[in-house]
């Protein structure tokens, strides 16, 4: 098939180019006297994991104080702390290299029940500041809890008499 991009298509013969001798260069080996580009120059420097661990420890401590002060309350979890530091999933993937940070996380991470108790106490104080009588369903709604927690809310309301509730 004659195609315009082939030089033989126009009836011209290709001139045979003289064959040049090919120089074979064997690849460098360990015993070779010529140094090759070492792989060490392309590697990143080693990480100082104790320093990284201490840095995360201080960052997480600062964020825990901030999260505790927020209104409405936010659950303190590993995912929340990683979001605040802008490294999602980074800490848990390297947990074996960050022992101090993991020990801190075991102490400060809230369980769902502990967070619900904190959220209930917050809702009760917010509703009492309005001056109206606090009812369990109002606390449930404000705290964003399911209806299965009404018994727990009633128990907390009965167990903690507050001066505003006693005078009403």
């Amino acid at each position: 098939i004659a195609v315009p991009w082939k030089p033989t298509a126009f009836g011209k013969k290709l001139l045979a180019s003289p064959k040049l001798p090919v120089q074979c260069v064997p690849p460098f080996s360990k015993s070779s006297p010529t140094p090759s580009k070492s792989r060490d120059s392309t590697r990143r420097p080693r990480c100082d994991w104790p320093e990284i661990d201490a840095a995360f420890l201080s960052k997480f401590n600062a964020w825990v104080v901030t999260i505790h002060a927020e209104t409405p309350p936010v659950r303190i979890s590993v995912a929340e702390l990683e979001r605040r530091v802008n490294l999602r999933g980074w800490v848990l993937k390297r947990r074996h290299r960050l022992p101090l940070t993991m020990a801190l996380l075991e102490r400060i991470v809230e369980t769902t029940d502990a967070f619900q108790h904190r959220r209930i106490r917050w809702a009760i104080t917010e509703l009492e500041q309005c001056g109206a009588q606090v009812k369990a369903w109002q606390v449930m709604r404000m705290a964003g809890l399911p209806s299965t927690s009404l018994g727990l809310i009633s128990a907390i309301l009965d167990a903690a008499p507050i001066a505003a509730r006693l005078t009403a």
Side-chain angles (χ1 to χ4, degrees):
I1 300 173
V3 288
W5 58 83
K6 287 187 178 178
T8 57
F10 301 108
K12 297 179 185 174
K13 290 186 179 180
L14 287 175
L15 296 174
S17 61
K19 300 242 178 189
L20 297 173
V22 178
Q23 294 178 351
C24 293
V25 180
F28 293 108
S29 63
K30 290 182 180 178
S31 61
S32 174
T34 310
S36 64
K37 185 177 179 182
S38 67
R39 291 184 353 177
D40 293 334
S41 64
T42 60
R43 288 187 183 158
R44 293 184 201 164
R46 290 186 176 251
C47 296
D48 185 12
W49 288 106
E51 181 181 327
I52 294 170
D53 195 16
F56 270 105
L57 191 67
S58 64
K59 283 181 188 179
F60 283 171
N61 274 327
W63 277 113
V64 166
V65 171
T66 305
I67 292 171
H68 262 294
E70 287 184 359
T71 305
V74 178
R75 182 176 176 209
I76 298 172
S77 64
V78 177
E80 181 65 28
L81 290 169
E82 285 178 340
R83 276 192 294 270
R84 302 287 175 115
V85 180
N86 289 329
L87 293 172
R88 289 187 177 176
W90 194 90
V91 173
L92 289 182
K93 287 180 186 174
R94 291 154 182 86
R95 71 178 66 159
H96 61 284
R97 296 178 186 236
L98 306 168
L100 299 175
T101 303
M102 294 312 296
L104 174 75
L105 290 176
E106 287 176 10
R107 281 185 287 136
I108 63 171
V109 167
E110 283 182 314
T111 62
T112 306
D113 293 334
F115 173 65
Q116 286 179 351
H117 283 282
R118 186 163 64 103
R119 188 94 178 196
I120 289 168
R121 287 191 302 274
W122 167 80
I124 290 171
T125 57
E126 288 290 317
L127 290 170
E128 285 177 343
Q129 287 178 355
C130 295
Q133 187 177 4
V134 179
K135 297 178 182 171
W137 68 269
Q138 292 172 327
V139 174
M140 178 194 73
R141 188 171 178 191
M142 188 169 192
L145 298 174
S147 60
T148 56
S149 60
L150 276 174
L152 174 66
I153 295 169
S154 298
I156 291 174
L157 284 172
D158 294 338
I162 298 184
R165 233 182 298 137
L166 293 175
T167 58

